[in-house]
Amino acid sequence: MRARSQRPRRRHNPLRRRSDEVEAWVVVVVAVLLCVVVPLTGTVAGLFTYDRARTHAEEQRAERRPVRAVVAGRPASRPTVHRARGHGYRAEVRWTEPGRGTRTALADVRAGDRVTVWFDRRGRIVAPPPNDVAVWQHTVATGLGVAGGTAAMVLLARAVERRVALRHRLAEWERAWERTGPSWRRRRA
């Protein structure tokens, strides 16, 4: 009795062309790219974005200061669009600063609100600095966007490769038919 090898043997198939083998390897490469490289690029982009966004938020927290203010004036009759809270009004707000006295400014508010107004170092009203939730939202969105873009590029490259492989496969079949076709066309007596 002969001992059988445990290695899988490569069986020769006369109908299998070189383009078929190349396409089989491309499928393996695409699978690895989609399962390993795409999540890895999304993760790396997310981590990089998280570091940058957290640093940016900390810088803004350091240079901006919140002030609790009361709506002092009458709100405008026409609502303005406020990003965080929907429709609001532009109104005068008043607050007291230690050592500087009472100050006023215009801010987006709802009628009767007590609001927190953020100021930069020059005393201008600015948007509040991003909180941890906003940093994580930005991180996840960037990571998913990069992963999605990478996956789209891999799949687009795969589609282009399939078209090229189809052309090569058809050309190989045409050459094979040119070699074997005459023996099939002979008339038999």
Side-chain angles (χ1 to χ4, degrees):
M1 292 179 74
R2 282 189 338 188
R4 290 192 140 189
S5 172
Q6 295 297 325
R7 291 185 305 165
R9 288 186 297 167
R10 186 171 169 206
R11 298 177 194 268
H12 180 68
N13 183 347
L15 297 178
R16 187 175 188 134
R17 305 289 173 212
R18 183 172 182 267
S19 62
D20 296 328
E21 292 177 12
V22 169
E23 191 166 6
W25 279 107
V26 167
V27 168
V28 170
V29 169
V30 167
V32 168
L33 289 174
L34 289 175
C35 293
V36 176
V37 174
V38 167
L40 189 64
T41 58
T43 302
V44 168
L47 290 174
F48 179 74
T49 301
Y50 176 75
D51 287 340
R52 301 262 326 240
R54 189 173 43 100
T55 302
H56 182 66
E58 288 172 359
E59 288 172 358
Q60 284 189 352
R61 282 187 205 115
E63 71 182 26
R64 296 178 182 184
R65 59 186 167 78
V67 174
R68 287 295 285 168
V70 178
V71 177
R74 190 167 164 221
S77 61
R78 202 168 134 198
T80 60
V81 177
H82 191 272
R83 283 179 242 137
R85 300 188 306 180
H87 291 289
Y89 295 91
R90 196 110 172 114
E92 186 176 319
V93 295
R94 180 180 32 220
W95 69 96
T96 304
E97 281 189 41
R100 293 183 106 182
T102 302
R103 297 185 62 192
T104 61
L106 288 176
D108 289 327
V109 297
R110 290 185 182 198
D113 274 354
R114 293 185 71 83
V115 295
T116 301
V117 182
W118 288 85
F119 292 94
D120 63 4
R121 290 183 178 162
R122 295 184 201 155
R124 294 179 301 185
I125 294 180
V126 292
N131 58 11
D132 291 338
V133 173
V135 169
W136 276 107
Q137 287 174 339
H138 182 65
T139 299
V140 170
T142 301
L144 289 176
V146 169
T150 305
M153 288 190 323
V154 167
L155 294 175
L156 180 64
R158 169 70 174 132
V160 169
E161 182 276 331
R162 278 191 66 139
R163 289 184 64 94
V164 171
L166 178 63
R167 286 185 188 158
H168 284 285
R169 185 179 308 113
L170 292 176
E172 286 177 350
W173 278 100
E174 188 65 35
R175 286 191 298 272
W177 181 250
E178 286 174 2
R179 286 191 307 268
T180 59
S183 63
W184 283 70
R185 291 186 193 134
R186 271 191 251 152
R187 292 192 176 181
R188 297 182 187 218

